[in-house]
Amino acid sequence: MDNVQIFDTTLRDGEQSPGFSMTVAEKIRMARQLESLGVDVIESGFPIASAGDLEGVRAVCREIRSCTVAALARTRRDDIDAALEGLKGAARPRLHTFLATSDLHLHYKLHLTREECLEAISSNVRYAREHCAEVEFSAEDASRTDIDFLNKVVDAAVRAGATIINLPDTVGYAVPEEYAAMFRRVIKHLNGAKGVTLSAHCHDDLGLGVANSLAAVQGGARQLELTINGIGERAGNAALEEVVVLLSVRQATLGVTTNVHLNQLFAASRLLTEITGAPVAPNKAIVGANAFAHEAGIHQDGILKNPLTYEIISPEAVGVPKRSMVLGKHSGRNALRVALVEIGYAPTREELDECYRRVSALADESKNVSTRDLLAIAHQVMRKRAGETAVAAE
Ligand code: KIV
Ligand code: ZN
């Protein structure tokens, strides 16, 4: 089976989006967790952007020994020099340099001709490669770049020494089929792309970040650039936890593996939430509060009989302590009985019916029934039995 390298860009693309900036100490904490998670590459920052960013990159490079650490630079000498400076202490440094390649970006943003773009890539990738053993080149806005020109871009970057070529869907515009087709075209052009790893980097503007990452793998990409909780520019990047679990759950069909330890995913998500103060939506896949919560009676009953009925992955597998059976107006008697047993009661059939009636009434008024509510109901209902037993004995 092929291995897909996981390139985490939480500390760069994620961190540069509104509300997610991190201090150097916070970057170190997050980087350690990413290392425990088993990602292959940690993109640590964009050193030319600020003194703090440079310091963050330096600190992550000092701290992390088992992952490659990348730093970002535009295809300019001063940027590349700043990134090289940041990467100095890294055990496994990677210089990541990028230039936009779509006509839209070249014309309006950069005022460059296609020829000037190719020249900037050749000279700067070569310069980067002379100073760093591993160079990645990203063709920003690749998914909106004319494919014949994109092939020339890739040729220029590979000839100059880049061994990882990233073809981002920078604005989240691609649809899966065309994104996969782009990778196939480039791989065909490279005649199999031996010695070169193609990478995907998908933004979520149309909610297709994960689907496009999957399509890229199916098209031949063997590195995916992702972020924890899907944070990143605008609508964010493809969420790391969703993509790696997808590749694992559907491994038999997709035929690829990753080096990620899935049971560290929840901790990584929680740590990021703690650091940034930005919670994930309750219905967020894999790490949301409802991802392993069940309220509907039919679902609760199924889960109690066999979890596979309504869960395609166990909570423990991704590091979630345990599934929750939520007592609400949709829950059933079976889940209520289990909840009562868990808090120390063994209700008779009549008591269970009475508890169920009271729980349903309470749930109709308030959204959920807490453990404290359940304890109060159980106490009232069971105390009645204890009282009657005592009277009968007298
Ligand atoms: O979205 C993008 O194109 C990027 C590149 C710098 C890789 O973040
Ligand atoms: Zn990006």
Side-chain angles (χ1 to χ4, degrees):
M1 267 200 203
D2 268 6
N3 186 263
V4 174
Q5 296 277 293
I6 300 300
F7 175 115
D8 178 276
T9 183
T10 307
L11 302 181
R12 199 280 297 169
D13 210 323
E15 201 256 356
Q16 76 191 37
S17 55
F20 291 101
S21 69
M22 295 176 216
T23 63
V24 171
E26 288 167 342
K27 275 196 167 187
I28 294 175
R29 275 181 80 197
M30 198 62 217
R32 283 199 199 116
Q33 177 58 32
L34 292 170
E35 192 173 37
S36 308
L37 183 61
V39 304
D40 302 283
V41 186
I42 297 175
E43 187 164 49
S44 54
F46 190 11
I48 196 82
S50 71
D53 240 62
L54 173 60
E55 196 36 50
V57 170
R58 278 201 185 109
V60 172
C61 288
R62 275 196 302 271
E63 189 69 26
I64 299 302
R65 301 331 277 170
S66 64
C67 310
T68 294
V69 178
L72 187 67
R74 288 168 295 182
T75 42
R76 291 169 38 159
R77 292 282 169 103
D78 52 348
D79 267 47
I80 294 173
D81 287 338
L84 290 169
E85 180 59 35
L87 288 171
K88 263 183 185 159
R92 301 186 202 178
R94 178 185 295 180
L95 193 297
H96 178 196
T97 186
F98 75 100
L99 183 64
T101 54
S102 66
D103 288 335
L104 187 71
H105 279 239
L106 287 177
H107 182 72
Y108 289 99
K109 189 181 84 175
L110 300 169
H111 310 295
L112 285 180
T113 64
R114 286 185 175 187
E115 287 64 38
E116 288 166 333
C117 169
L118 292 176
E119 168 47 33
I121 293 167
S122 297
S123 58
N124 287 292
V125 169
R126 186 163 301 113
Y127 177 74
R129 184 65 189 75
E130 279 162 12
H131 296 86
C132 187
E134 194 167 79
V135 174
E136 169 171 344
F137 173 74
S138 284
E140 190 190 10
D141 209 20
S143 57
R144 293 193 299 173
T145 298
D146 169 70
I147 187 71
D148 294 324
F149 181 58
L150 187 62
N151 280 332
K152 290 188 181 151
V153 162
V154 172
D155 282 342
V158 170
R159 244 185 271 123
T163 50
I164 304 103
I165 303 290
N166 183 35
L167 304 176
D169 183 30
T170 301
V171 289
Y173 176 76
V175 295
E177 258 178 41
E178 70 190 8
Y179 197 52
M182 180 188 72
F183 280 91
R184 287 193 187 102
R185 288 279 296 270
V186 172
I187 289 171
K188 187 165 174 214
H189 176 78
L190 286 173
N191 200 12
K194 280 177 213 64
V196 175
T197 303
L198 291 188
S199 170
H201 175 117
C202 301
H203 281 271
D204 211 29
D205 300 67
L206 294 175
L208 290 174
V210 171
N212 281 333
S213 301
L214 171 61
V217 169
Q218 291 172 319
R222 287 297 175 266
Q223 175 179 281
L224 293 175
E225 305 196 357
L226 308 162
T227 60
I228 300 294
N229 294 346
I231 69 169
E233 288 283 2
R234 305 178 310 281
N237 290 61
L240 187 149
E241 60 279 7
E242 296 181 20
V243 173
V244 296
V245 172
L246 160 64
L247 297 184
S248 165
V249 169
R250 301 305 309 270
Q251 194 180 80
T253 306
L254 300 171
V256 292
T257 57
T258 73
N259 298 324
V260 169
H261 309 302
L262 300 187
N263 62 3
Q264 291 296 316
L265 286 170
F266 188 62
S269 167
R270 275 299 178 87
L271 178 61
L272 183 64
T273 299
E274 184 198 316
I275 287 174
T276 62
V280 297
N283 61 331
K284 164 89 177 58
I286 318 299
V287 292
N290 291 352
F292 298 98
H294 307 275
E295 182 183 328
I298 294 171
H299 291 210
Q300 290 176 332
D301 186 50
I303 286 281
L304 290 168
K305 288 172 176 154
N306 181 343
L308 289 175
T309 53
Y310 287 103
E311 281 175 359
I312 55 171
I313 182 158
S314 76
E316 299 80 22
V318 294
V320 173
K322 72 196 253 297
R323 73 176 57 86
S324 54
M325 293 290 191
V326 179
L327 292 177
K329 64 179 181 179
H330 304 109
S331 28
R333 277 180 174 69
N334 201 5
L336 176 60
R337 188 184 47 73
V338 171
L340 287 167
V341 169
E342 267 179 13
I343 59 171
Y345 290 93
T348 63
R349 196 189 177 88
E350 291 71 33
E351 285 164 346
L352 182 63
D353 285 347
E354 179 58 15
C355 288
Y356 184 74
R357 201 187 55 71
R358 292 185 189 210
V359 164
S360 298
L362 183 61
D364 267 336
E365 284 162 26
S366 54
K367 285 199 166 76
N368 285 326
V369 176
S370 66
T371 307
R372 183 184 285 204
D373 294 329
L374 187 62
L375 274 167
I377 289 172
H379 183 66
Q380 284 158 13
V381 172
M382 314 304 176
R383 195 184 52 186
K384 236 170 108 198
R385 167 166 45 128
E388 279 161 8
T389 316
V391 171
E394 282 168 13

